[in-house]
Amino acid sequence: GIEFEWEAYWNAGKIWIARSILNEDLEFSEDVRDVIFPCITCGMCSAQCENKIPTVDIIEALRAACVESGAPMIDQHALIERLAKEKNNPYGQEHVNRVKWARDAGLEKFINKKGAKVGYFVGCTASYKQMDIPIATCKILEQLGVDFSIITDEVCCGSPFFRIGSVDLAQNFMKTNLDLYKNFEQVVFSCAGCYK
């Protein structure tokens, strides 16, 4: 709101847009898309103004409806959607390298460990970009004596795609992971987005 100096870029403006769409006073377009997507869906609006309105859920639903309406995706969103469909992650990295960090760190014994009670869901950012996070997490779990496994077939959690309105892709990823982790008693996450 401060950057664009227009009420539509504040949370209240996005809620007004949602209401206008529902009342059929406004139709989705590239202009509407360009106003509803800059929000990072952090939830700070709800924290600052406690009004019992699930603003993040509304904004994400508004984005999904925008994509469903046929309005073209923002170029960057279309790119990460394409990469994820091809490579199972938004970074376009080769899936065979998803657990390379574990092999490089000498943590092979935890890769697809049979009979483990805890599954460690690593996520895309930790697997491909910030490998110090899963290495530290594994070392902590190991020191605590946690019986855990890292799954090589893990795919993107889907979280980024709920945020950009690509709900079908997000749900496909989510279902794949739920099936992969269904036999664990507990699943541990390093990333809040993956957990959500």
Side-chain angles (χ1 to χ4, degrees):
I2 293 170
E3 180 179 344
F4 293 103
E5 298 179 343
W6 187 34
E7 184 65 25
Y9 286 94
W10 291 100
N11 181 55
K14 287 178 180 39
I15 301 305
W16 293 339
I17 290 169
R19 183 177 21 200
S20 294
I21 294 285
L22 285 173
N23 290 338
E24 299 180 355
D25 295 328
L26 182 66
E27 293 182 3
F28 286 113
S29 66
E30 289 183 42
D31 290 334
V32 170
R33 176 204 67 193
D34 291 345
V35 171
I36 62 176
F37 276 92
C39 166
I40 61 172
T41 64
C42 67
M44 195 61 164
C45 50
S46 293
Q48 290 179 340
C49 181
E50 296 181 37
N51 55 17
K52 310 280 189 228
I53 296 172
T55 53
V56 171
D57 294 340
I58 292 169
I59 291 167
E60 288 180 2
L62 187 60
R63 290 173 177 179
C66 184
V67 169
E68 190 176 304
S69 78
M73 294 181 100
I74 295 170
D75 290 344
Q76 296 90 333
H77 294 172
L79 172 65
I80 67 165
E81 183 185 56
R82 181 180 58 77
L83 291 172
K85 286 177 178 176
E86 293 171 4
K87 308 282 186 171
N88 291 320
N89 68 83
Y91 297 112
Q93 299 292 315
E94 295 299 328
H95 191 77
V96 296
N97 293 328
R98 192 164 187 99
V99 296
K100 182 181 181 305
W101 60 269
R103 289 186 186 94
D104 291 349
L107 297 164
E108 298 93 344
K109 66 183 177 182
F110 299 110
I111 298 173
N112 296 321
K113 184 178 178 193
K114 301 282 186 224
K117 297 181 188 300
V118 176
Y120 172 35
F121 189 94
V122 181
C124 298
T125 300
S127 291
Y128 299 114
K129 297 294 182 184
Q130 297 176 345
M131 288 77 79
D132 54 326
I133 293 171
I135 291 168
T137 301
C138 287
K139 289 183 178 182
I140 290 169
L141 292 172
E142 184 178 26
Q143 281 199 331
L144 291 172
V146 175
D147 182 24
F148 73 97
S149 178
I150 303 160
I151 307 300
T152 55
D153 290 339
E154 171 189 293
V155 297
C156 178
C157 66
S159 177
F161 301 99
F162 282 115
R163 308 277 173 286
I164 66 170
S166 186
V167 175
D168 290 341
L169 180 59
Q171 288 177 339
N172 287 339
F173 281 142
M174 186 180 67
K175 289 174 186 171
T176 297
N177 287 317
L178 286 172
D179 189 51
L180 288 171
Y181 286 86
K182 68 182 177 188
N183 294 323
F184 290 106
E185 292 178 13
Q186 186 176 23
V187 180
V188 174
F189 300 83
S190 294
C191 172
C194 293
Y195 173 74
K196 183 180 180 198

